[in-house]
Amino acid sequence: MPKSHTPGVPKLLRVLNDQAALKLLLEDGPQTRAQLAERTSMSKVTASQMMERLQTRGLVEVVGSKSGGRGPNASLYAAVPTFTYVVGVEVGPVTTKGACADFTGRIVGRAEIDVEGSTDPVAVVRRVVTDSVADAGIEMAKVGRITLGTPGVIDPASGDIGFSWNLPAWHRGLRTALNEEFAPAVAIENDVNLATIAEQRSGGAGGASDFVYAWFGGGLGLGVILNGGLYRGASGAAGEIGFLPVPGGDLPTGGVVTRLSKGSYQRVIGGDAVLDIGAKHGFEAAEPEDVLTAALAAGAEGASCLDEIARGIALGIVAVCVLLDPTVVVLGGPVGYAGGLELAGRVAAQTSQLAPVTPSVVAGTVIDEPIMRGAILHGLDAVRESLFD
């Protein structure tokens, strides 16, 4: 009678074990085989075999040793930073920035170019990607993924730009053109969604599996994480809260809102509105985040300004909370980061007055380049998953 074989099961277990060990090394740094065995609930023999496989693939290397008491020192293993690289691109209406990061996520090369008035997005991306890779001192062949963060709606089916109000030259067909231009795969993601990923991993969300990230600056946006993953909606328009109808946000003449219109919530608490609120309270500024900085510095004299801004923000936050009931609401964007804990506390208080909800409103903590950081994480996720397909 022939034996029953299940060759896929041991192979799958090996893949899952290797994946778990590499994840630990990437997230927590160098570890010994004994530490990896303990943290993954494997035997020391299994952990040794796992390290041999990862070493053979060039994914990990010995970087030192650690004393374990009696007996010889134990080898310390770490992920190989130079195994592959990714490039993140942050697209704006005036400038576009690129950053090249190694396998561990460390940025090793940068580039920034002026794109105001440019009508050739492929040329823009080509230059910023090649410049950042050159600055890193590596060959393009070492790049495994490129991720673009852009404002606007990204079609979740095609992965292409559906509409971007302030980037009219960036349109459908761009992703295909870029993938024809570059050997590494190119992905396009909404900029606020990428900032949400950054806050999810190492920011104010604290690892919550259900939370929302609200971006307040010149424009408005919302990133939604449900069950640990990004929720984009059927057409990619989930989170376009600038169009949320709220009290005080008069609609255009005729009451018809189009993609080119300034939405109701945008009128209440978008960048121009924050500047107007600041001027009314004696805090003239060039940028909306400067209003928050000045009001906070003014102490008690800035309280009424902060309260009015918080009230405007709360109109949208309360709508989100009664619909999604998130564990955490993270305030980000230039205004959210500038307002910090003081603004977050005022928004929480105002929200609880508008509806019977008591959201945990916190200030975002990934203040330095959240979109770029999210783009790099997005690219690294794709590369790391492909290693074990």
Side-chain angles (χ1 to χ4, degrees):
M1 186 174 180
K3 293 181 180 180
S4 175
H5 294 285
T6 54
V9 174
K11 183 177 180 181
L12 175 60
L13 290 175
R14 287 197 297 271
V15 167
L16 292 175
N17 289 344
D18 292 358
Q19 198 170 22
L22 182 60
K23 185 173 185 289
L24 285 172
L25 292 174
L26 287 166
E27 292 181 353
D28 298 340
Q31 296 178 59
T32 66
R33 284 178 293 184
Q35 288 175 316
L36 289 168
E38 181 180 358
R39 297 190 63 185
T40 56
S41 300
M42 300 177 197
S43 69
K44 291 183 180 179
V45 172
T46 300
S48 296
Q49 294 171 343
M50 180 174 59
M51 286 298 97
E52 288 177 8
R53 289 194 297 271
L54 292 175
Q55 276 187 288
T56 300
R57 295 186 63 182
L59 290 165
V60 304
E61 62 185 350
V62 176
V63 294
S65 62
K66 181 179 181 180
S67 174
R70 294 181 179 178
N73 291 347
S75 296
L76 274 172
Y77 294 87
V80 178
T82 58
F83 178 78
T84 191
Y85 296 81
V86 299
V87 175
V89 178
E90 182 177 344
V91 179
V94 178
T95 61
T96 290
K97 299 187 293 183
C100 180
D102 66 22
F103 192 45
T104 67
R106 184 174 66 94
I107 293 176
V108 292
R110 289 183 175 275
E112 182 172 348
I113 61 173
D114 185 352
V115 299
E116 192 167 15
S118 173
T119 59
D120 189 351
V122 174
V124 168
V125 176
R126 181 195 305 119
R127 181 178 167 191
V128 80
V129 168
T130 55
D131 284 359
S132 63
V133 170
D135 188 53
I138 63 168
E139 299 294 328
M140 181 62 73
K142 289 288 290 182
V143 177
R145 187 80 169 188
I146 299 168
T147 299
L148 273 64
T150 74
V153 176
I154 310 300
D155 186 332
S158 67
D160 220 334
I161 296 177
F163 173 78
S164 182
W165 185 83
N166 55 354
L167 291 172
W170 298 67
H171 47 67
R172 289 186 184 277
L174 176 60
R175 182 170 178 266
T176 299
L178 290 172
N179 275 300
E180 292 173 351
E181 176 78 19
F182 294 102
V186 180
I188 304 176
E189 182 57 86
N190 173 266
D191 52 3
V192 175
N193 280 347
L194 291 177
T196 303
I197 292 173
E199 287 287 351
Q200 179 190 32
R201 300 293 180 82
S202 57
S209 59
D210 294 275
F211 78 95
V212 296
Y213 170 83
W215 176 283
F216 295 96
L220 308 179
L222 189 79
V224 181
I225 297 290
L226 296 178
N227 296 321
L230 272 173
Y231 178 75
R232 298 175 176 84
S235 65
E240 293 294 316
I241 57 171
F243 293 103
L244 186 71
V246 296
D250 296 335
L251 297 177
T253 303
V256 178
V257 177
T258 69
R259 282 180 167 178
L260 296 177
S261 304
K262 183 181 286 188
S264 176
Y265 192 42
Q266 176 75 27
R267 292 168 181 265
V268 167
I269 203 62
D272 291 341
V274 172
L275 290 174
D276 290 342
I277 293 171
K280 184 173 70 174
H281 291 274
F283 300 107
E284 297 275 358
E287 300 294 339
E289 58 268 31
D290 297 335
V291 173
L292 276 295
T293 302
L296 287 167
E301 294 181 3
S304 59
C305 179
L306 292 172
D307 281 337
E308 186 169 348
I309 293 172
R311 180 77 173 182
I313 290 175
L315 290 173
I317 299 303
V318 71
V320 172
C321 288
V322 297
L323 283 173
L324 298 177
D325 191 22
T327 305
V328 181
V329 175
V330 180
L331 298 186
V335 168
Y337 291 127
L341 294 173
E342 182 69 25
L343 179 64
R346 291 172 186 269
V347 170
Q350 295 275 10
T351 301
S352 63
Q353 293 176 15
L354 295 172
V357 293
T358 54
S360 174
V361 181
V362 302
T365 58
V366 188
I367 298 173
D368 186 28
E369 298 184 309
I371 297 169
M372 184 69 78
R373 174 51 53 186
I376 289 169
L377 289 169
H378 185 281
L380 287 172
D381 284 348
V383 167
R384 293 168 185 173
E385 287 172 12
S386 70
L387 294 173
F388 299 100
D389 284 346

